[in-house]
Amino acid sequence: MSTDSAIRTVALEEAFLHSRVWDLFPAALQQKYQPVRARLSDVGPERIRQMDAAGIDVQVLSHVQPGVQVLADDQAELSVSVCREVNDWLAEVVAAQPSRFAGFAMLPTQSPAHAADELERAVHRLGFKGALINGHTNGRYLDDASFDVLLERAESLGVPIYIHPTDPPPVVSDTYYAPFDSALVPTWGWPVETGTHLLRLICAGVFDRHPDLKIIVGHMGELLPFCFTRLNAGLTMAGWLSAAGSEHPLMRNNVGYYLRNNVFITSSGVFDVPVFDCARAMLGLDNLMFSVDYPFQDNFAAMEFLQQCDLSPEDKERFAHRTAEKLLNLDDDERDPGRRAAVGDTWYRLISRAKSKVGRALISALVK
């Protein structure tokens, strides 16, 4: 076995890079991704070998941010074309390794109607499990009325939308983060941006109009669990007071209701047990799912975190794979029981784990 435990793991925020989208990225972004470009581009035996070494059973693949959201609104036709090409390619990747990979669709959100159609095509024809959208699209968030057609389609298809962090609109970055934006945006700006995006959906009554819509966010809830009590009291009351006298209040329930009924969060990139304990206490274990954030985060660190979580065997199974399998309608029976012994040889696993530990120890020492 490749890990100390035979527990099955499904990871939901695992990135890849397609050459067609790479060519659309500005030079500065290409330079940023260059150190991990090889790992992002690999969706073949080497990625699976690394999964096996750490004990990751399934990766749900999605294109690295900002994906097709890098395009302007007047490039909607190009966005549609690129999404179809990338989704068709990803479907072939998944078909080659159906027990190891699943897919989240890339959507041309510059045109919400086309995005809805592409989501339906990706789910019905390609077998994808939902979609991942990289935050706002040129300053428009999913609470914008134009996206109702997309949200309604996701609800009717019964698939979730994963909201992934991206850079805030330039006016926000220039005001809040410059001249330190290169450091502050990915570490602080992204979780604030994504948490705010989700709160906008609640404030706009999106989940009242689409009560069965499911949204996923990563990084242990993008700061929201830590602010849960304040948000549930203050934001709920503010929403109700602002709608006083209205026949159609924007927010019919409290904030906690929507977070627990419509929102799922993953552990992607956050492997701290006290942080996990906070998220579990505020939202409940049924809303939490395991993830890594590969290749930006370490598979071994994620698996060590999973082992350290104070959960019963049954609850650990829920967190590690059962909730994800139910939400994404993954085929729990399609497994390859011999794959770890065949692919992840012991020597490679030991060397990989040692490199992981040394690298994390070095970083820890440097920042003390």
Side-chain angles (χ1 to χ4, degrees), residues 224-240:
L224 295 181
F226 317 106
C227 305
F228 178 87
T229 301
R230 183 179 178 89
L231 288 169
N232 196 40
L235 186 56
T236 298
M237 292 304 299
W240 287 349

Side-chain angles (χ1 to χ4, degrees), residues 29-348:
L29 187 57
Q30 290 183 349
Q31 183 178 11
K32 171 185 173 183
Y33 280 139
Q34 192 61 47
V36 291
R37 184 182 180 185
R39 286 198 171 192
L40 281 168
S41 301
D42 171 50
V43 288
E46 183 57 29
R47 179 180 288 234
I48 291 177
R49 194 182 190 198
Q50 292 171 10
M51 291 166 62
D52 288 338
I56 306 296
D57 288 85
V58 178
Q59 285 189 351
V60 184
L61 301 174
S62 54
H63 199 283
V64 68
Q65 78 89 26
V68 79
Q69 276 76 52
V70 74
L71 295 174
D73 284 343
D74 60 6
Q75 295 177 293
E77 186 175 341
L78 173 60
S79 179
V80 171
S81 173
V82 170
C83 286
R84 290 183 66 91
E85 178 180 341
V86 173
N87 290 336
D88 287 344
W89 172 86
L90 180 58
E92 294 178 358
V93 169
V94 172
Q97 294 286 349
S99 66
R100 310 308 304 279
F101 295 141
F104 280 141
M106 172 186 282
L107 301 182
T109 50
Q110 292 80 0
S111 172
H114 284 97
D117 290 342
E118 179 61 14
L119 176 62
E120 184 167 355
R121 186 185 80 91
V123 171
H124 283 166
R125 297 188 184 179
L126 305 181
F128 285 5
K129 305 305 180 180
L132 183 141
I133 296 173
N134 295 291
H136 63 88
T137 302
N138 302 311
R140 286 184 301 140
Y141 294 83
L142 291 175
D143 62 282
D144 188 285
S146 64
F147 287 112
D148 242 28
V149 60
L150 171 59
L151 302 181
E152 182 179 11
R153 194 72 58 87
E155 181 184 31
S156 66
L157 291 168
V159 296
I161 292 177
Y162 202 126
I163 302 179
H164 187 278
T166 195
D167 292 355
V171 64
V172 176
S173 290
D174 292 344
T175 302
Y176 278 11
Y177 304 118
F180 317 110
D181 45 309
S182 62
L184 280 176
V185 167
T187 54
W188 181 254
W190 283 0
V192 171
E193 172 74 12
T194 311
T196 302
H197 193 159
L198 183 54
L199 292 176
R200 289 179 63 98
L201 299 183
I202 294 174
C203 291
V206 164
F207 298 116
D208 293 316
R209 297 193 300 275
H210 308 290
D212 294 324
L213 176 66
K214 306 300 182 186
I215 298 291
I216 309 173
V217 296
H219 313 105
M220 213 66 84
E222 309 291 9
L223 303 178
L224 295 181
F226 317 106
C227 305
F228 178 87
T229 301
R230 183 179 178 89
L231 288 169
N232 196 40
L235 186 56
T236 298
M237 292 304 299
W240 287 349
L241 289 172
S242 67
S246 172
E247 293 183 7
H248 304 287
L250 297 182
M251 192 184 348
R252 297 174 188 162
N253 299 290
N254 61 43
V255 170
Y257 174 88
Y258 302 111
L259 291 178
R260 291 183 175 124
N261 285 272
N262 300 95
V263 178
F264 292 81
I265 72 176
T266 77
S267 63
S268 61
V270 179
F271 308 137
D272 298 309
V273 173
V275 179
F276 170 80
D277 289 340
C278 173
R280 177 176 52 159
M282 295 296 102
L283 299 181
L285 185 62
D286 285 340
N287 295 75
L288 274 61
M289 299 182 292
F290 173 81
S291 284
V292 179
D293 202 359
Y294 179 89
F296 305 102
Q297 298 294 331
D298 185 90
N299 285 331
F300 288 99
M303 291 301 293
E304 289 173 16
F305 155 75
L306 177 60
Q307 296 303 323
Q308 293 163 3
C309 289
D310 184 19
L311 295 170
S312 69
E314 180 181 352
D315 284 347
K316 192 166 289 188
E317 293 274 352
R318 288 163 61 199
F319 175 56
H321 68 96
R322 294 200 187 281
T323 298
E325 288 166 346
K326 181 178 179 181
L327 178 65
L328 303 184
N329 194 27
L330 292 174
D331 187 354
D332 189 31
D333 296 326
E334 190 172 28
R335 303 188 185 191
D336 180 4
R339 53 92 184 163
R340 287 183 184 172
V343 183
D345 62 89
T346 302
W347 180 246
Y348 180 86

